[in-house]
Amino acid sequence: MRTQVAIIGAGPAGLLLSHLLAQDGVESIVVETRSAEYVASRIRAGVLEHSTVELLDSIGLGGRLRAEGDEHGGIHLQWPGERHHVDFVDLTGRSVWVYGQTEVQKDLVDARAAGGQQIHYEISETALHDLETDRPSVTFVDRDGNAQRIDADVVVGCDGSFGPSRASVPERLRETWERVYPYSWLGILADVAPSTDELIYAWHPDGFGMHSMRSATVSRLYLQVPNGTDVDTWSDDRIWDALAMRLGHGQDGWELTPGPITEKSVLPMRSFVQTPMRHGRLFLAGDAAHIVPPTGAKGLNLAVADVGVLAPALVALLRDKDDRLADSYAEVALRRVWRCTHFSWWMTTMLHTTDDPFDAQLQLSQLRWVTSSAAGATGLAENYAGLPIGF
Ligand code: RFL
Ligand code: PHB
């Protein structure tokens, strides 16, 4: 096979990139290890920042999001006895949208199907070759067991945190930064109307608790748990009791309504960045290059922002033979990556309890400052609701 851009990974980064390239007349082929059904049903992110929504709107993919998603003007931040609303719209003029990653994925899959995009699902043995030449290639075994090869002008690694692309940057050139946190999230999906209008992020001596949502009838909630927690040790009743305690059931008359739990899983948390995000004719985008803990709702948005910078750079390189944007891609993308890495670390360490009582006092002091000072609240709002693409 021959194409201009070989894209590894059919998650949001890979599919959005193929869509943006196609709009500017650049061809691509996408390869994906999982099945289309598996990729479509993975429960992940829930919050889209302002610039993600703007980008989706600008390419005609904002229709269902605006009809079925839910615009939120801010979040609630709380600790025992106190709940405060941080109003993003008042502070920055920007809002966020609650619209599941599953829905974004579905919109992208539909758009790529309408555009006749070649996507090979259920492949194995993905390997990248000749990245330091103008004729890189990707080889793989297709779902019928046949060896395949894509010759391309450029290879883009959109293969998430476990894909092979990032390891294709030679070890002597690679630099990585990592922070592993001493806690995980136990996440549930429940068939019950959300008990809150906007997301609640709660500090509690028992650990962080969070109330998010997917629709008027589906709630998404999280609890901080120790690393290595076995999900089977948390019965549904134990989960709802812990959520009620941490989220402040009964505080000022607020009540958490429990309901049937339809999905339950434990997610470890880490921060990770690898540079460079470009090596020769290989470009990395999204979780393939960086991972953030989910407390700032940044992972999906950062993947979209990378692609928003990369697509015009590849169009200029391949269509107009102008390599200036491609040459600056890694540097431009990394500015936002480090901003979001800091913000996600900051939200995470402000809200998750440790066994050090000194940490707890600093966290409470920080929470009081963020919710009472215009400067503190605006900093959170600007980072959460989103910096402009290209920041
Ligand atoms: P993805 O979505 O992981 O897609 C990568 C794809 O590459 C495929 N792949 C391969 N394909 C071919 N050959 C190989 N050898 C391959 N190896 C892997 C994979 O199968 C996969 O389909 O990465 P992408 O596109 O960069 O998108 C990143 C986002 O998915 C991720 O950052 C977010 O889900 C993170 N995240 C959140 N982000 C937000 O912006 N807001 C949120 O509210 C938010 N909440 C979350 C989250 C992630 C979570 N989990 C499960 C980690 C909540 C959770 C619980
Ligand atoms: C979610 O709805 O899954 C979600 C929302 C906000 C976060 C993390 C996850 O910060």
Side-chain angles (χ1 to χ4, degrees), residues 195-221:
S195 300
T196 178
D197 53 347
E198 299 195 327
L199 272 58
I200 303 172
Y201 288 79
W203 184 98
H204 191 277
D206 293 355
F208 172 68
M210 184 174 147
H211 193 329
S212 181
M213 60 201 72
R214 285 294 176 274
S215 69
T217 55
V218 176
S219 297
R220 177 84 168 140
L221 300 104

PDB file of all heavy atoms in Angstrom, residues 195-221:
ATOM      1  N   SER A 195     -26.683  13.779  40.574  1.00  0.00           N
ATOM      2  CA  SER A 195     -27.201  14.500  41.743  1.00  0.00           C
ATOM      3  C   SER A 195     -26.676  15.935  41.766  1.00  0.00           C
ATOM      4  O   SER A 195     -26.788  16.606  42.794  1.00  0.00           O
ATOM      5  CB  SER A 195     -26.768  13.786  43.025  1.00  0.00           C
ATOM      6  OG  SER A 195     -27.266  12.477  43.047  1.00  0.00           O
ATOM      7  N   THR A 196     -26.029  16.359  40.683  1.00  0.00           N
ATOM      8  CA  THR A 196     -25.437  17.703  40.653  1.00  0.00           C
ATOM      9  C   THR A 196     -25.599  18.300  39.254  1.00  0.00           C
ATOM     10  O   THR A 196     -25.677  17.557  38.273  1.00  0.00           O
ATOM     11  CB  THR A 196     -23.936  17.638  41.036  1.00  0.00           C
ATOM     12  OG1 THR A 196     -23.355  18.940  40.960  1.00  0.00           O
ATOM     13  CG2 THR A 196     -23.142  16.702  40.129  1.00  0.00           C
ATOM     14  N   ASP A 197     -25.655  19.641  39.201  1.00  0.00           N
ATOM     15  CA  ASP A 197     -25.765  20.299  37.895  1.00  0.00           C
ATOM     16  C   ASP A 197     -24.406  20.310  37.188  1.00  0.00           C
ATOM     17  O   ASP A 197     -24.313  20.104  35.984  1.00  0.00           O
ATOM     18  CB  ASP A 197     -26.293  21.737  38.060  1.00  0.00           C
ATOM     19  CG  ASP A 197     -25.466  22.562  39.063  1.00  0.00           C
ATOM     20  OD1 ASP A 197     -24.644  21.971  39.824  1.00  0.00           O
ATOM     21  OD2 ASP A 197     -25.617  23.797  39.089  1.00  0.00           O
ATOM     22  N   GLU A 198     -23.333  20.553  37.954  1.00  0.00           N
ATOM     23  CA  GLU A 198     -21.984  20.583  37.371  1.00  0.00           C
ATOM     24  C   GLU A 198     -21.063  19.681  38.184  1.00  0.00           C
ATOM     25  O   GLU A 198     -21.410  19.268  39.296  1.00  0.00           O
ATOM     26  CB  GLU A 198     -21.469  22.021  37.310  1.00  0.00           C
ATOM     27  CG  GLU A 198     -22.385  22.868  36.416  1.00  0.00           C
ATOM     28  CD  GLU A 198     -21.849  24.215  35.969  1.00  0.00           C
ATOM     29  OE1 GLU A 198     -21.093  24.859  36.737  1.00  0.00           O
ATOM     30  OE2 GLU A 198     -22.192  24.637  34.857  1.00  0.00           O
ATOM     31  N   LEU A 199     -19.889  19.359  37.619  1.00  0.00           N
ATOM     32  CA  LEU A 199     -18.999  18.388  38.255  1.00  0.00           C
ATOM     33  C   LEU A 199     -18.600  18.831  39.673  1.00  0.00           C
ATOM     34  O   LEU A 199     -18.364  20.018  39.900  1.00  0.00           O
ATOM     35  CB  LEU A 199     -17.716  18.221  37.419  1.00  0.00           C
ATOM     36  CG  LEU A 199     -17.772  17.169  36.305  1.00  0.00           C
ATOM     37  CD1 LEU A 199     -18.873  17.449  35.312  1.00  0.00           C
ATOM     38  CD2 LEU A 199     -16.428  17.080  35.595  1.00  0.00           C
ATOM     39  N   ILE A 200     -18.494  17.855  40.567  1.00  0.00           N
ATOM     40  CA  ILE A 200     -18.007  18.137  41.929  1.00  0.00           C
ATOM     41  C   ILE A 200     -16.649  17.456  42.101  1.00  0.00           C
ATOM     42  O   ILE A 200     -16.517  16.250  41.883  1.00  0.00           O
ATOM     43  CB  ILE A 200     -18.965  17.576  43.008  1.00  0.00           C
ATOM     44  CG1 ILE A 200     -20.386  18.130  42.831  1.00  0.00           C
ATOM     45  CG2 ILE A 200     -18.422  17.888  44.411  1.00  0.00           C
ATOM     46  CD1 ILE A 200     -21.408  17.457  43.767  1.00  0.00           C
ATOM     47  N   TYR A 201     -15.647  18.236  42.489  1.00  0.00           N
ATOM     48  CA  TYR A 201     -14.331  17.718  42.866  1.00  0.00           C
ATOM     49  C   TYR A 201     -14.224  17.914  44.377  1.00  0.00           C
ATOM     50  O   TYR A 201     -14.238  19.060  44.850  1.00  0.00           O
ATOM     51  CB  TYR A 201     -13.209  18.510  42.188  1.00  0.00           C
ATOM     52  CG  TYR A 201     -13.053  18.276  40.696  1.00  0.00           C
ATOM     53  CD1 TYR A 201     -13.901  18.892  39.779  1.00  0.00           C
ATOM     54  CD2 TYR A 201     -12.037  17.455  40.207  1.00  0.00           C
ATOM     55  CE1 TYR A 201     -13.744  18.684  38.410  1.00  0.00           C
ATOM     56  CE2 TYR A 201     -11.868  17.244  38.842  1.00  0.00           C
ATOM     57  CZ  TYR A 201     -12.727  17.862  37.949  1.00  0.00           C
ATOM     58  OH  TYR A 201     -12.564  17.655  36.608  1.00  0.00           O
ATOM     59  N   ALA A 202     -14.109  16.800  45.130  1.00  0.00           N
ATOM     60  CA  ALA A 202     -14.170  16.905  46.584  1.00  0.00           C
ATOM     61  C   ALA A 202     -12.898  16.411  47.272  1.00  0.00           C
ATOM     62  O   ALA A 202     -12.473  15.279  47.059  1.00  0.00           O
ATOM     63  CB  ALA A 202     -15.363  16.113  47.107  1.00  0.00           C
ATOM     64  N   TRP A 203     -12.325  17.289  48.102  1.00  0.00           N
ATOM     65  CA  TRP A 203     -11.249  16.878  49.019  1.00  0.00           C
ATOM     66  C   TRP A 203     -11.908  16.313  50.260  1.00  0.00           C
ATOM     67  O   TRP A 203     -12.881  16.887  50.775  1.00  0.00           O
ATOM     68  CB  TRP A 203     -10.398  18.100  49.392  1.00  0.00           C
ATOM     69  CG  TRP A 203      -9.203  17.784  50.261  1.00  0.00           C
ATOM     70  CD1 TRP A 203      -7.922  17.605  49.832  1.00  0.00           C
ATOM     71  CD2 TRP A 203      -9.183  17.617  51.685  1.00  0.00           C
ATOM     72  NE1 TRP A 203      -7.112  17.324  50.906  1.00  0.00           N
ATOM     73  CE2 TRP A 203      -7.852  17.317  52.062  1.00  0.00           C
ATOM     74  CE3 TRP A 203     -10.156  17.667  52.691  1.00  0.00           C
ATOM     75  CZ2 TRP A 203      -7.467  17.091  53.371  1.00  0.00           C
ATOM     76  CZ3 TRP A 203      -9.787  17.423  54.008  1.00  0.00           C
ATOM     77  CH2 TRP A 203      -8.443  17.152  54.334  1.00  0.00           C
ATOM     78  N   HIS A 204     -11.411  15.199  50.767  1.00  0.00           N
ATOM     79  CA  HIS A 204     -11.966  14.620  52.001  1.00  0.00           C
ATOM     80  C   HIS A 204     -10.856  13.841  52.694  1.00  0.00           C
ATOM     81  O   HIS A 204     -10.031  13.226  52.021  1.00  0.00           O
ATOM     82  CB  HIS A 204     -13.148  13.691  51.661  1.00  0.00           C
ATOM     83  CG  HIS A 204     -13.918  13.276  52.869  1.00  0.00           C
ATOM     84  ND1 HIS A 204     -13.528  12.233  53.662  1.00  0.00           N
ATOM     85  CD2 HIS A 204     -15.047  13.801  53.424  1.00  0.00           C
ATOM     86  CE1 HIS A 204     -14.394  12.134  54.668  1.00  0.00           C
ATOM     87  NE2 HIS A 204     -15.327  13.065  54.551  1.00  0.00           N
ATOM     88  N   PRO A 205     -10.842  13.841  54.051  1.00  0.00           N
ATOM     89  CA  PRO A 205      -9.783  13.094  54.760  1.00  0.00           C
ATOM     90  C   PRO A 205      -9.746  11.621  54.366  1.00  0.00           C
ATOM     91  O   PRO A 205      -8.669  10.997  54.413  1.00  0.00           O
ATOM     92  CB  PRO A 205     -10.152  13.244  56.246  1.00  0.00           C
ATOM     93  CG  PRO A 205     -11.159  14.322  56.330  1.00  0.00           C
ATOM     94  CD  PRO A 205     -11.725  14.573  54.972  1.00  0.00           C
ATOM     95  N   ASP A 206     -10.857  11.043  53.932  1.00  0.00           N
ATOM     96  CA  ASP A 206     -10.862   9.633  53.492  1.00  0.00           C
ATOM     97  C   ASP A 206     -10.261   9.469  52.101  1.00  0.00           C
ATOM     98  O   ASP A 206     -10.017   8.345  51.655  1.00  0.00           O
ATOM     99  CB  ASP A 206     -12.290   9.077  53.414  1.00  0.00           C
ATOM    100  CG  ASP A 206     -12.945   8.956  54.774  1.00  0.00           C
ATOM    101  OD1 ASP A 206     -12.255   9.206  55.777  1.00  0.00           O
ATOM    102  OD2 ASP A 206     -14.138   8.629  54.814  1.00  0.00           O
ATOM    103  N   GLY A 207     -10.120  10.578  51.381  1.00  0.00           N
ATOM    104  CA  GLY A 207      -9.616  10.519  49.994  1.00  0.00           C
ATOM    105  C   GLY A 207     -10.509  11.325  49.073  1.00  0.00           C
ATOM    106  O   GLY A 207     -11.655  11.658  49.406  1.00  0.00           O
ATOM    107  N   PHE A 208      -9.982  11.608  47.876  1.00  0.00           N
ATOM    108  CA  PHE A 208     -10.695  12.391  46.867  1.00  0.00           C
ATOM    109  C   PHE A 208     -11.972  11.673  46.411  1.00  0.00           C
ATOM    110  O   PHE A 208     -12.007  10.445  46.327  1.00  0.00           O
ATOM    111  CB  PHE A 208      -9.737  12.569  45.684  1.00  0.00           C
ATOM    112  CG  PHE A 208     -10.328  13.192  44.450  1.00  0.00           C
ATOM    113  CD1 PHE A 208     -10.720  14.520  44.443  1.00  0.00           C
ATOM    114  CD2 PHE A 208     -10.467  12.449  43.280  1.00  0.00           C
ATOM    115  CE1 PHE A 208     -11.241  15.100  43.294  1.00  0.00           C
ATOM    116  CE2 PHE A 208     -10.969  13.017  42.121  1.00  0.00           C
ATOM    117  CZ  PHE A 208     -11.367  14.353  42.135  1.00  0.00           C
ATOM    118  N   GLY A 209     -12.990  12.468  46.125  1.00  0.00           N
ATOM    119  CA  GLY A 209     -14.206  11.924  45.513  1.00  0.00           C
ATOM    120  C   GLY A 209     -14.641  12.857  44.404  1.00  0.00           C
ATOM    121  O   GLY A 209     -14.404  14.072  44.475  1.00  0.00           O
ATOM    122  N   MET A 210     -15.272  12.308  43.374  1.00  0.00           N
ATOM    123  CA  MET A 210     -15.676  13.172  42.263  1.00  0.00           C
ATOM    124  C   MET A 210     -16.999  12.714  41.673  1.00  0.00           C
ATOM    125  O   MET A 210     -17.244  11.518  41.540  1.00  0.00           O
ATOM    126  CB  MET A 210     -14.609  13.113  41.191  1.00  0.00           C
ATOM    127  CG  MET A 210     -14.933  14.050  40.079  1.00  0.00           C
ATOM    128  SD  MET A 210     -13.552  14.038  38.952  1.00  0.00           S
ATOM    129  CE  MET A 210     -14.473  14.280  37.507  1.00  0.00           C
ATOM    130  N   HIS A 211     -17.821  13.678  41.327  1.00  0.00           N
ATOM    131  CA  HIS A 211     -19.107  13.386  40.683  1.00  0.00           C
ATOM    132  C   HIS A 211     -19.103  14.017  39.295  1.00  0.00           C
ATOM    133  O   HIS A 211     -19.125  15.228  39.158  1.00  0.00           O
ATOM    134  CB  HIS A 211     -20.247  13.951  41.535  1.00  0.00           C
ATOM    135  CG  HIS A 211     -21.613  13.453  41.128  1.00  0.00           C
ATOM    136  ND1 HIS A 211     -21.936  13.115  39.827  1.00  0.00           N
ATOM    137  CD2 HIS A 211     -22.732  13.218  41.859  1.00  0.00           C
ATOM    138  CE1 HIS A 211     -23.190  12.710  39.773  1.00  0.00           C
ATOM    139  NE2 HIS A 211     -23.706  12.757  40.995  1.00  0.00           N
ATOM    140  N   SER A 212     -19.094  13.149  38.270  1.00  0.00           N
ATOM    141  CA  SER A 212     -19.241  13.625  36.902  1.00  0.00           C
ATOM    142  C   SER A 212     -20.473  12.955  36.311  1.00  0.00           C
ATOM    143  O   SER A 212     -21.265  12.337  37.041  1.00  0.00           O
ATOM    144  CB  SER A 212     -17.972  13.301  36.100  1.00  0.00           C
ATOM    145  OG  SER A 212     -18.083  13.778  34.767  1.00  0.00           O
ATOM    146  N   MET A 213     -20.639  13.074  35.021  1.00  0.00           N
ATOM    147  CA  MET A 213     -21.868  12.558  34.402  1.00  0.00           C
ATOM    148  C   MET A 213     -21.656  12.313  32.919  1.00  0.00           C
ATOM    149  O   MET A 213     -20.681  12.801  32.335  1.00  0.00           O
ATOM    150  CB  MET A 213     -22.992  13.561  34.613  1.00  0.00           C
ATOM    151  CG  MET A 213     -22.680  14.901  33.996  1.00  0.00           C
ATOM    152  SD  MET A 213     -23.626  16.261  34.687  1.00  0.00           S
ATOM    153  CE  MET A 213     -22.920  16.501  36.293  1.00  0.00           C
ATOM    154  N   ARG A 214     -22.564  11.580  32.320  1.00  0.00           N
ATOM    155  CA  ARG A 214     -22.520  11.367  30.873  1.00  0.00           C
ATOM    156  C   ARG A 214     -23.783  11.880  30.188  1.00  0.00           C
ATOM    157  O   ARG A 214     -23.764  12.202  29.008  1.00  0.00           O
ATOM    158  CB  ARG A 214     -22.343   9.875  30.552  1.00  0.00           C
ATOM    159  CG  ARG A 214     -20.928   9.352  30.798  1.00  0.00           C
ATOM    160  CD  ARG A 214     -19.910   9.977  29.838  1.00  0.00           C
ATOM    161  NE  ARG A 214     -18.560   9.534  30.143  1.00  0.00           N
ATOM    162  CZ  ARG A 214     -17.759  10.113  31.044  1.00  0.00           C
ATOM    163  NH1 ARG A 214     -18.168  11.175  31.687  1.00  0.00           N
ATOM    164  NH2 ARG A 214     -16.557   9.640  31.273  1.00  0.00           N
ATOM    165  N   SER A 215     -24.914  11.880  30.919  1.00  0.00           N
ATOM    166  CA  SER A 215     -26.169  12.339  30.326  1.00  0.00           C
ATOM    167  C   SER A 215     -27.142  12.605  31.468  1.00  0.00           C
ATOM    168  O   SER A 215     -26.773  12.484  32.643  1.00  0.00           O
ATOM    169  CB  SER A 215     -26.742  11.248  29.414  1.00  0.00           C
ATOM    170  OG  SER A 215     -27.174  10.153  30.204  1.00  0.00           O
ATOM    171  N   ALA A 216     -28.399  12.924  31.117  1.00  0.00           N
ATOM    172  CA  ALA A 216     -29.407  13.206  32.143  1.00  0.00           C
ATOM    173  C   ALA A 216     -29.743  11.955  32.948  1.00  0.00           C
ATOM    174  O   ALA A 216     -30.325  12.038  34.030  1.00  0.00           O
ATOM    175  CB  ALA A 216     -30.668  13.761  31.491  1.00  0.00           C
ATOM    176  N   THR A 217     -29.358  10.777  32.438  1.00  0.00           N
ATOM    177  CA  THR A 217     -29.720   9.534  33.141  1.00  0.00           C
ATOM    178  C   THR A 217     -28.511   8.683  33.529  1.00  0.00           C
ATOM    179  O   THR A 217     -28.679   7.617  34.107  1.00  0.00           O
ATOM    180  CB  THR A 217     -30.646   8.674  32.260  1.00  0.00           C
ATOM    181  OG1 THR A 217     -29.983   8.469  31.001  1.00  0.00           O
ATOM    182  CG2 THR A 217     -31.985   9.341  32.021  1.00  0.00           C
ATOM    183  N   VAL A 218     -27.308   9.128  33.183  1.00  0.00           N
ATOM    184  CA  VAL A 218     -26.106   8.330  33.491  1.00  0.00           C
ATOM    185  C   VAL A 218     -25.096   9.184  34.249  1.00  0.00           C
ATOM    186  O   VAL A 218     -24.717  10.273  33.797  1.00  0.00           O
ATOM    187  CB  VAL A 218     -25.465   7.762  32.202  1.00  0.00           C
ATOM    188  CG1 VAL A 218     -24.168   7.021  32.526  1.00  0.00           C
ATOM    189  CG2 VAL A 218     -26.431   6.836  31.466  1.00  0.00           C
ATOM    190  N   SER A 219     -24.652   8.679  35.402  1.00  0.00           N
ATOM    191  CA  SER A 219     -23.658   9.383  36.217  1.00  0.00           C
ATOM    192  C   SER A 219     -22.321   8.650  36.153  1.00  0.00           C
ATOM    193  O   SER A 219     -22.267   7.433  35.981  1.00  0.00           O
ATOM    194  CB  SER A 219     -24.105   9.445  37.678  1.00  0.00           C
ATOM    195  OG  SER A 219     -25.288  10.190  37.791  1.00  0.00           O
ATOM    196  N   ARG A 220     -21.249   9.422  36.297  1.00  0.00           N
ATOM    197  CA  ARG A 220     -19.895   8.870  36.325  1.00  0.00           C
ATOM    198  C   ARG A 220     -19.260   9.392  37.608  1.00  0.00           C
ATOM    199  O   ARG A 220     -19.216  10.615  37.814  1.00  0.00           O
ATOM    200  CB  ARG A 220     -19.133   9.369  35.087  1.00  0.00           C
ATOM    201  CG  ARG A 220     -17.674   8.934  35.004  1.00  0.00           C
ATOM    202  CD  ARG A 220     -17.524   7.572  34.410  1.00  0.00           C
ATOM    203  NE  ARG A 220     -16.149   7.242  34.061  1.00  0.00           N
ATOM    204  CZ  ARG A 220     -15.628   6.019  34.262  1.00  0.00           C
ATOM    205  NH1 ARG A 220     -16.335   5.067  34.818  1.00  0.00           N
ATOM    206  NH2 ARG A 220     -14.396   5.764  33.898  1.00  0.00           N
ATOM    207  N   LEU A 221     -18.798   8.489  38.466  1.00  0.00           N
ATOM    208  CA  LEU A 221     -18.226   8.937  39.747  1.00  0.00           C
ATOM    209  C   LEU A 221     -16.902   8.238  40.016  1.00  0.00           C
ATOM    210  O   LEU A 221     -16.671   7.127  39.521  1.00  0.00           O
ATOM    211  CB  LEU A 221     -19.202   8.656  40.892  1.00  0.00           C
ATOM    212  CG  LEU A 221     -20.565   9.363  40.754  1.00  0.00           C
ATOM    213  CD1 LEU A 221     -21.643   8.391  40.326  1.00  0.00           C
ATOM    214  CD2 LEU A 221     -20.958  10.074  42.036  1.00  0.00           C
TER     215      LEU A 221
END
